[in-house]
Amino acid sequence: MVVNEFRSSLNQGRFVYSVELVLGRDHDVPDFHKFIDDAAKADEGVKVISVTDLPGGRPALPPEFVVESITDRGLTPITHLTGKDDNRNFIEGRLHGLAGLGAENILALTGDAPQEGFGGLAKPVYDLDSVLILDLIKSLRESKDSEDQAPEPFDFFPGAVVSPYKLRESDQMMQYYKLELKIAVGARFIITQLGYNLRKLYELKQYMKREELDHVPVIPSVYVPTATIGKMMQQGRIAGCVMPDGVLEKLKKEKKPHRLERAALMVAAVKSLGFAGAHIGGFGLKYKDIATIIEKADAIGDTWRSRMDELVATHPEEFYLFPLGEDGLSDDSTAYQLGQGDREVKLAQKICLVANRMLIDDESSGAHFLQKRLGINGTPPEGDEWRHGLWYAMLGEARRFKKSHLGCVGCGDCIQDHLAYAGCSMGRCYKELRNGPCGGARPDGSCEVDAEQPCVWTLAYQYTISAMQDPRKFARTLVPPRDWSLNRTNSMANRLAGIDNYHRRQEVEALSQDEESTER
C-alpha cells in the first residue's frame, strides 16, 4: 500500500514541505518531469507535489494528467479541484476519477476568473464554490458504503485555502468566517494565499487558537516571485495576492539568491512559530532551488527574530486583529480589534428587512395570508399550476424593486436575507458565490474582475452589522447549491412555498480535535 506522506506527516505532527508546480505558468511539462525526477532521487526534502487546476483561468493541462507521474515516482500529490470550469455533475465525476487514480489529497478552491480561450472569453461556471466542493466530498465519503452506490475508494483528505493578508476588517473577517465554514464541512488542512507579512500570517494561527480550531494544520504559502510576477500581483493580474511596495522595489534590484534567501527566512519563521509546513512555489524554480531554501532555512533557525523588519511588510492603515506586541507580532491576549463597520441602514435595506419580517418570515401573518392566496396548504406544491393566477403575478412585481435596487437576476433561489440585503450575489458577484467571498478581491475590497464593483460579500459583512445581526452567521450557515429548476421563477413565491434553499440551509460547526480523531 502506498503511504500518503502528506497526510501521515500532518497527522503525526511532522513539519512537511510541499511544492506547488503551476503547469502553464511557472513550469512547462519537461520542467515538471525534471523537477519530480530530482525530488524522487533526493533522500530528504520535498516528497509532496501540489498540482494546479487550470491556474489563472487559462487553458492548461488538468492535474489528472500528472497525478500518476507523481505517484509512480513514490511522491505524494495534492490535487487542486476548482469550480470555475465544471458543473456539479462533472466535478463529482472528476472525484470518481481522482479516487481511481489514488489521489487522496484534494485542495478545494473556487478558482480564478476564466480568461481568453478558444473563440474568445470562456464562460465562468462556478456551479459549486470551494465550500460546496468540500461538502460534496463529505457526502461521497458518507455514502461510499450505501446500498444504492457501489463502494468507491473515497478516502479523500480534503483541504482548503484562506488569505490572512487582507487589508480591511470586512475583507479579513469574511475570510476567517469562510475558513470556519470550510473546516465545518470537512477541510482537514489549510494552505494560505500568498503574502509577505509575517504578523498577518501569524494572526491566522492566533485566531484559530482563539476559536479552538488550532488542531487543523495550517501550511503557509512561501512564493518566490520575480519582479515581473510581483508587478502582476500588485496590478491584480494574479488574483488575491498582496504585494507591498517595499517588497516590489527590492525585487527589482535583487538576483535569484536574494529571493531564495527571503523565502528561506520565511520558512525558518513559520517552522519556529509552529505551523505545520511550508508550501513553496515560484516561477521556474528547479528542485535545487527548493533544496537551497530548505538548507538556508535550517541554517537560519531561530535567528529569524533578529530580522523581523524583513518579514513584516506593511500597508498604511492595514487592519490587524490584535494590537502590536513587543516581539513585533500581534499580542493575542486582548479582545479582537473590531470596529463593527458601518451601522447606517440604507433605505432599500430597511424596506427589505421590514418586508421580510412582515410578509416572508415563516411566523408572520403576512406570509400565512399570501400562502393561502397562492393555494399553498402547508406542503410544497407539485407541478406548476399554483404559479398561475392574480396573486402569483402580483408577487412578481417585487422583482422590479429587487432588480433595480439589489441587482436581482431572477435565479428563483434567493439568499438576500442571508446577505442582509446587501445585493444579489448572483448578479453582483462574478462567481455567483453563495457561501462567502473568494480570495481574489483586490486590496481595496473591489472585485478581482471588475475593479469598479465592490465585493458584495464585503458589503454583506457591513450590512449584516448595520441590521444588528451577528456576522458570525457566515461561519456556521451552509447554503446549498443553486437549484436551477427554479431559474426565472418568483423567488418570493418559492420561499412562501418552501421549495427554495431557505429550509435546506444547514447550521454547521467544526469538529473538535477529539471528534475529528474519532472520524478518522
Side-chain angles (χ1 to χ4, degrees):
M1 181 179 179
V2 177
V3 176
N4 183 340
E5 179 67 25
F6 180 65
R7 186 175 193 169
S8 62
S9 293
L10 293 180
N11 288 343
Q12 295 171 30
R14 299 197 305 270
F15 193 84
V16 61
Y17 289 103
S18 57
V19 170
E20 182 163 302
L21 300 182
V22 183
L23 296 176
R25 186 185 74 201
D26 291 354
H27 298 83
D28 57 25
V29 174
D31 284 341
F32 169 84
H33 282 108
K34 178 66 167 61
F35 190 103
I36 61 175
D37 282 341
D38 291 344
K41 293 173 185 175
D43 293 332
E44 298 180 352
V46 175
K47 300 301 177 185
V48 180
I49 307 297
S50 179
V51 285
T52 53
D53 186 12
L54 280 65
R58 293 177 175 84
L61 290 170
E64 289 91 333
F65 177 77
V66 296
V67 164
E68 285 188 299
S69 297
I70 295 170
T71 56
D72 285 349
R73 289 164 173 81
L75 304 174
T76 301
I78 301 175
T79 307
H80 296 209
L81 183 63
T82 69
K84 65 184 185 298
D85 301 307
D86 307 327
N87 69 12
R88 67 195 73 178
N89 292 343
F90 194 72
I91 290 174
E92 183 171 344
R94 287 186 69 186
L95 286 166
H96 281 264
L98 289 168
L101 291 171
E104 294 182 10
N105 309 308
I106 306 293
L107 187 65
L109 306 104
T110 296
D112 298 326
Q115 304 297 318
E116 293 286 328
F118 167 73
L121 182 65
K123 178 182 179 180
V125 181
Y126 297 109
D127 194 25
L128 299 182
D129 59 29
S130 55
V131 173
L132 292 171
I133 292 174
L134 288 166
D135 195 44
L136 170 60
I137 292 172
K138 181 180 178 182
S139 71
L140 289 174
R141 181 177 181 177
E142 291 174 347
S143 66
K144 67 178 181 178
D145 296 321
S146 64
E147 294 180 359
D148 59 348
Q149 181 175 324
E152 293 279 356
F154 288 130
D155 191 21
F156 291 123
F157 187 57
V161 173
V162 66
S163 174
Y165 300 108
K166 297 298 183 182
L167 304 184
R168 307 188 315 159
E169 174 187 327
S170 51
D171 302 328
Q172 190 63 79
M173 294 313 298
M174 289 299 282
Q175 282 292 306
Y176 286 152
Y177 294 151
K178 188 166 184 176
L179 169 66
E180 291 190 54
L181 189 59
K182 291 173 179 178
I183 293 173
V185 296
R188 294 294 172 260
F189 66 91
I190 303 299
I191 295 177
T192 72
Q193 178 58 285
L194 312 180
Y196 300 90
N197 185 338
L198 182 65
R199 182 182 168 194
K200 290 283 287 183
L201 174 63
Y202 192 59
E203 279 201 339
L204 167 63
K205 194 170 181 61
Q206 292 170 312
Y207 178 85
M208 293 180 69
K209 181 179 179 181
R210 178 72 60 88
E211 300 300 329
E212 299 182 349
L213 300 171
D214 52 331
H215 59 284
V216 179
V218 176
I219 306 166
S221 287
V222 179
Y223 189 82
V224 185
T226 62
T228 300
I229 293 293
K231 188 175 182 180
M232 291 172 63
M233 290 178 179
Q234 197 171 73
Q235 292 172 340
R237 293 165 60 191
I238 301 179
C241 300
V242 177
M243 172 54 66
D245 292 337
V247 175
L248 182 57
E249 289 306 310
K250 290 178 181 178
L251 289 173
K252 292 176 181 178
K253 304 171 185 177
E254 291 176 342
K255 301 297 183 182
K256 190 174 188 179
H258 298 97
R259 300 197 298 270
L260 297 181
E261 172 74 16
R262 178 183 296 105
L265 183 61
M266 179 63 81
V267 171
V270 302
K271 190 173 185 179
S272 175
L273 288 170
F275 286 94
H279 190 71
I280 306 172
F283 181 79
L285 292 184
K286 310 299 183 184
Y287 184 80
K288 66 179 181 179
D289 298 322
I290 305 299
T292 297
I293 291 172
I294 296 173
E295 182 181 344
K296 285 180 174 291
D298 288 340
I300 292 169
D302 289 338
T303 65
W304 63 269
R305 288 187 181 275
S306 65
R307 301 169 64 180
M308 189 68 75
D309 60 325
E310 299 177 59
L311 291 164
V312 180
T314 61
H315 281 261
E317 300 181 2
E318 187 169 12
F319 167 75
Y320 288 95
L321 196 59
F322 300 106
L324 180 64
E326 293 181 359
D327 62 354
L329 302 175
S330 292
D331 178 6
D332 64 351
S333 65
T334 66
Y336 295 146
Q337 297 185 133
L338 300 180
Q340 295 301 302
D342 183 3
R343 290 186 175 275
E344 179 187 356
V345 182
K346 309 299 189 292
L347 179 59
Q349 182 190 20
K350 185 179 294 186
I351 292 171
C352 291
L353 290 169
V354 171
N356 186 79
R357 185 173 66 251
M358 298 182 64
L359 299 174
I360 303 174
D361 187 85
D362 287 345
E363 303 304 319
S364 68
S365 58
H368 295 159
F369 174 84
L370 291 172
Q371 286 168 338
K372 289 181 181 179
R373 297 302 180 276
L374 290 168
I376 299 169
N377 300 312
T379 57
E382 296 182 5
D384 288 329
E385 288 301 318
W386 69 283
R387 295 192 185 278
H388 303 287
L390 175 64
W391 285 96
Y392 186 88
M394 289 176 63
L395 290 180
E397 294 300 307
R399 194 190 161 209
R400 294 179 184 272
F401 176 87
K402 291 172 63 179
K403 183 177 181 179
S404 61
H405 292 281
L406 304 176
C408 174
V409 296
C411 75
D413 200 15
C414 188
I415 63 168
Q416 272 302 307
D417 62 306
H418 184 54
L419 276 64
Y421 300 98
C424 176
S425 68
M426 298 290 103
R428 293 182 179 172
C429 172
Y430 179 83
K431 300 177 183 180
E432 299 187 340
L433 304 183
R434 299 170 76 81
N435 285 286
C438 69
R442 300 166 190 263
D444 65 356
S446 60
C447 175
E448 72 173 80
V449 178
D450 182 0
E452 302 300 317
Q453 172 69 43
C455 174
V456 72
W457 289 97
T458 292
L459 297 178
Y461 178 84
Q462 298 166 352
Y463 274 53
T464 295
I465 291 172
S466 68
M468 303 299 288
Q469 298 175 9
D470 183 0
R472 286 196 61 81
K473 67 181 181 181
F474 298 115
R476 60 176 183 257
T477 306
L478 176 64
V479 179
R482 174 176 171 180
D483 184 348
W484 280 86
S485 71
L486 301 177
N487 194 41
R488 299 292 183 265
T489 59
N490 188 306
S491 61
M492 186 173 176
N494 293 340
R495 166 68 186 276
L496 293 167
I499 59 174
D500 71 345
N501 71 87
Y502 180 78
H503 292 289
R504 293 186 293 115
R505 298 176 195 172
Q506 299 176 42
E507 292 294 308
V508 294
E509 187 174 353
L511 295 176
S512 68
Q513 187 169 9
D514 290 340
E515 289 171 328
E516 187 175 316
S517 298
T518 301
E519 185 185 77
R520 289 183 188 146

